[in-house]
Amino acid sequence: MEIKVNFLDNLRLEAKFDDFTVTADQPIRYKGDGSAPSPFDYFLASSALCAAYFVKVYCKARDIPTDDIRLSQNNIVDPENRYNQIFQIQVELPDTISEKDRQGILRSIDRCTVKKVVQEGPEFKIEEVSSLDEDSALLFSGMTEGEARTYIPGKDLPLEDTITNMTRVLEQLGMKIEVSSWRNIVPNVWSLHIRDAASPMCFTNGKGASKESALCSALGEFIERASCNFFYNDHFFGEEIANSDFVHYPNEKWFPLTEDDDIPEGLLDEHCLSIYNPDGELRGSNLIDTNSGRIDRGICAIPYVRQSDQEVVYFPSNLIENLFVSNGMSAGNTLYEAQVQCLSEIFERAVKKQIIEEEIALPDVPMSVLEKYPHILDGINGLEEQGFPVLVKDASLGGQFPVMCVTLMNPRTGGVFASFGAHPCFEVALERSLTELLQGRSFEGLNDVPPPTFNSHAVTEPNNFVEHFIDSTGVVSWRFFSARSDYEFCEWDFSGSNEEENARLMQILEALDKEVYIAVFDDLGATACRILVPGYSEIYPAEDLIWDNTNKALAFREDILNIHSLDEDALADLVERLEESELDHYTEVPTLIGIEFDENTVWGQLCVGELKALIYLALQQYEEAYDLVCEFLDYNDNTVERGLFYQALRAVLEITLDDELELDDYLPNLVRMFGNETMQNVVGSITGEVRFHGLTRTSIGLEGLERHQKLIESYKKLHQARAARAAL
């Protein structure tokens, strides 16, 4: 994690990381102002807080209340060496907790991350750099040092060389990549989380049978998502990029909207139009680019090559980000390597969807076959030893597809977790199923998976597949676990060179009568591609282009960001459009308008219902505001402070709307209940002296939105690299 420090007045310091700011000071006896804890005090508190966190996680997983659990830490300092200290952590547990759980709680404290890092003895490297903002590197302990070269199936270069090459690409882009976590909870199953230190919203996860393969996976995913602009999906790029020569790629093409709002000539092909516009309902305005919002320029489209005849077909950027999300993207040492990964991912998700929705019972993989892969079997046995039964299934549907499945059962909660993996090599597909299962997860994290069901509607409804796509935590049918499988086990094999594997996977799609479209993105200095298979590889249904398109942001983005400067007529128009849109009141405003707000602010947690309530207050339409305030309080999961503001507001609105009540009669006790500051904001919201309480001033220029600005700065690095490459 990158922590940037600012020097404030006297001895005060300010540390900024993610969406947080921490202020430190020194006691008055050390010439400070005593306005905040010292840096060392924060260090001491971190171990106590970390210990308490692990106690909380243990108890939460077992429904043990923590109300009567007390924890404290004392520091015993060696009088002859003040740097030699004993951290004495003591826990007071109520008698209602069993002996087994008492020991479990103590063991959980032993897992405290702060404790383990201190005990390991961190190494400090201190260096001078010319510019913190321009410094770029991959922050990890060197795995590529030495002469060793590790080859694994599917990679055209050794892992060490692959890591070196991808690291060089990211350094040339000016990105500092930090490894924020590693996990290895069972043998031969590794995962990690990496992110852009300057823009933590840009992150990826990696998985593999070794540290090196997991790091390769994470770096490859980072490059593929940067190359395909996935990190910036749905987000506003800002006016500078929106007005530049190109928004996404130098070879993009803009199609002006027609007078009748029909699909412009030359956009998509007949095959795609038959899938995305079968009834002629799709309009050109449905395809306007969300990221730039340039309605005047029309539709931004990216060229893809149709594989059946090598003709170029233009796909709207809006259609790609709305329907395909991240499916079918990959980076590789070579183009064939990348394409094999793309196609494998497409098959994994399409076959998984078919199996889940059709409630197919898969055949078990015989132990005699699993024993051929002892390193995978060790990981499976590691889960079994921890009390998690594991089912290993052949998901090839009788040898048709290169897909495997590993399913974990959690007897503690009754939940199940079906993980799928795909690759032309049987072993690699099986390994991916297992590593995907545990990617970024602790044993406690396996308590969150849902139980299976015989309710077919719950399994087949579209949102369930989306949950499976996001993190594999969707619902699975009990029929999936039938001992009477719908297919015979097949020890399939589609393996060969990457070129041969690519050809074999393409043949499968050809047999399914699917058209394949490929775009190659090498303008960042790495080989990456994206494959679209219309009618097969979408994550969201085609009707979302009409009924749930991300570019609905364009109807609200500018006015919401400019809300403090809108006059009454403009506010009335905005709230009328919000009403007519029939947006769910639970809809998060940051998601709606494609803006990254600090999650710890009112903007960051603002929903449509609350926004409408604040607008009605500003318009002094109290009855409409009252209904929305009551609704907000019914489902509010915002901060305690925000909840109290709305409790007080509801009371004052009730008084205001009742002709027989006078606010002055109730104000003294309302102040005693909610505090003077809250009541000033509540009464000010009623009188109009306070507008949009809690929402800091911003505008379409995005001033003050540091989190979103970080995202744009990250994208500008890619944009500038593409512009420079195009100018050659």
Side-chain angles (χ1 to χ4, degrees), residues 224-443:
E224 83 183 27
R225 296 191 171 199
S227 297
C228 297
N229 289 347
F230 177 74
F231 289 134
Y232 318 99
N233 257 18
D234 311 338
H235 289 94
F236 179 43
F237 284 168
E239 294 181 309
E240 180 183 341
I241 292 176
N243 294 322
S244 61
D245 291 339
F246 68 91
V247 172
H248 295 272
Y249 302 99
N251 63 349
E252 68 192 23
K253 185 175 180 180
W254 290 80
F255 292 79
L257 296 176
T258 63
E259 290 187 7
D260 58 3
D261 202 17
D262 207 351
I263 307 297
E265 193 72 27
L267 194 64
L268 300 171
D269 59 13
E270 289 187 10
H271 174 72
C272 293
L273 289 170
S274 70
I275 294 171
Y276 302 127
N277 193 27
D279 303 317
E281 293 182 308
L282 186 66
R283 315 312 300 162
S285 55
N286 294 132
L287 301 174
I288 294 169
D289 180 58
T290 304
N291 304 112
S292 65
R294 288 293 302 274
I295 300 174
D296 57 313
R297 290 180 75 173
I299 300 167
C300 180
I302 314 299
Y304 279 72
V305 176
R306 188 170 57 209
Q307 296 304 291
S308 61
D309 57 8
Q310 298 301 299
E311 289 293 320
V312 172
V313 176
Y314 283 90
F315 280 77
S317 61
N318 172 284
L319 182 148
I320 296 170
E321 75 172 29
N322 268 283
L323 302 187
F324 293 92
V325 200
S326 68
N327 199 19
M329 305 186 312
S330 188
N333 292 297
T334 64
L335 182 56
Y336 282 126
E337 181 186 310
Q339 288 185 184
V340 167
Q341 174 57 28
C342 283
L343 293 168
S344 296
E345 182 176 83
I346 287 169
F347 282 122
E348 173 193 322
R349 289 164 176 169
V351 173
K352 176 181 183 177
K353 181 179 182 181
Q354 181 182 349
I355 290 168
I356 291 169
E357 291 185 346
E358 296 180 13
E359 302 178 87
I360 295 172
L362 300 175
D364 292 320
V365 177
M367 182 56 68
S368 59
V369 174
L370 291 178
E371 287 172 346
K372 297 178 182 180
Y373 314 108
H375 69 290
I376 297 176
L377 198 53
D378 285 346
I380 293 169
N381 290 336
L383 285 170
E384 294 270 2
E385 289 166 5
Q386 291 292 329
F388 298 101
V390 176
L391 307 175
V392 183
K393 302 280 189 177
D394 168 25
S396 69
L397 303 185
Q400 297 180 75
F401 305 102
V403 185
M404 296 296 294
C405 175
V406 174
T407 300
L408 175 141
M409 307 172 77
N410 189 341
R412 298 189 189 102
T413 64
V416 297
F417 184 3
S419 173
F420 290 74
H423 190 270
C425 174
F426 184 97
E427 177 184 2
V428 175
L430 177 56
E431 181 184 284
R432 286 182 176 177
S433 300
L434 179 61
T435 55
E436 174 70 25
L437 179 74
L438 296 176
Q439 180 172 275
R441 288 185 172 85
S442 62
F443 287 126

Side-chain angles (χ1 to χ4, degrees), residues 42-207:
Y42 280 116
F43 167 68
L44 295 178
S46 70
S47 59
L49 290 169
C50 187
Y53 162 76
F54 278 91
V55 171
K56 186 71 173 179
V57 168
Y58 180 93
C59 293
K60 187 176 181 181
R62 292 159 181 80
D63 293 324
I64 299 172
T66 54
D67 298 353
D68 296 325
I69 296 177
R70 300 173 65 199
L71 184 147
S72 72
Q73 174 183 293
N74 291 287
N75 297 79
I76 303 170
V77 183
D78 185 337
E80 297 182 359
N81 181 2
R82 65 190 180 100
Y83 301 117
N84 181 25
Q85 300 192 14
I86 296 173
F87 288 19
Q88 184 181 58
I89 296 175
Q90 298 176 316
V91 189
E92 180 183 314
L93 301 173
D95 296 337
T96 53
I97 295 180
S98 69
E99 182 60 30
K100 177 183 176 182
D101 283 327
R102 299 172 91 84
Q103 294 304 314
I105 289 171
L106 295 180
R107 284 195 302 272
S108 73
I109 295 175
D110 198 49
R111 296 173 54 207
C112 168
T113 309
V114 174
K115 166 185 168 295
K116 287 184 176 293
V117 170
V118 171
Q119 288 177 326
E120 191 68 25
E123 179 182 352
F124 287 81
K125 295 182 179 180
I126 301 171
E127 62 181 2
E128 179 187 359
V129 297
S130 58
S131 171
L132 287 175
D133 294 328
E134 295 177 5
D135 180 41
S136 61
L138 174 61
L139 305 178
F140 73 103
S141 298
M143 296 179 192
T144 58
E145 299 170 358
E147 300 299 322
R149 288 295 176 266
T150 309
Y151 288 87
I152 63 172
K155 289 292 180 188
D156 286 327
L157 287 177
L159 294 178
E160 294 80 6
D161 294 349
T162 305
I163 292 170
T164 298
N165 292 340
M166 290 191 289
T167 301
R168 186 180 302 116
V169 168
L170 293 169
E171 286 180 347
Q172 290 171 348
L173 289 171
M175 289 187 169
K176 182 187 292 185
I177 305 299
E178 58 185 17
V179 179
S180 62
S181 68
W182 284 97
R183 289 195 183 275
N184 173 222
I185 61 176
V186 298
N188 305 319
V189 178
W190 287 83
S191 68
L192 77 159
H193 180 91
I194 67 172
R195 63 184 190 177
D196 182 350
S199 179
M201 298 78 75
C202 302
F203 66 86
T204 58
N205 299 300
K207 60 185 184 294

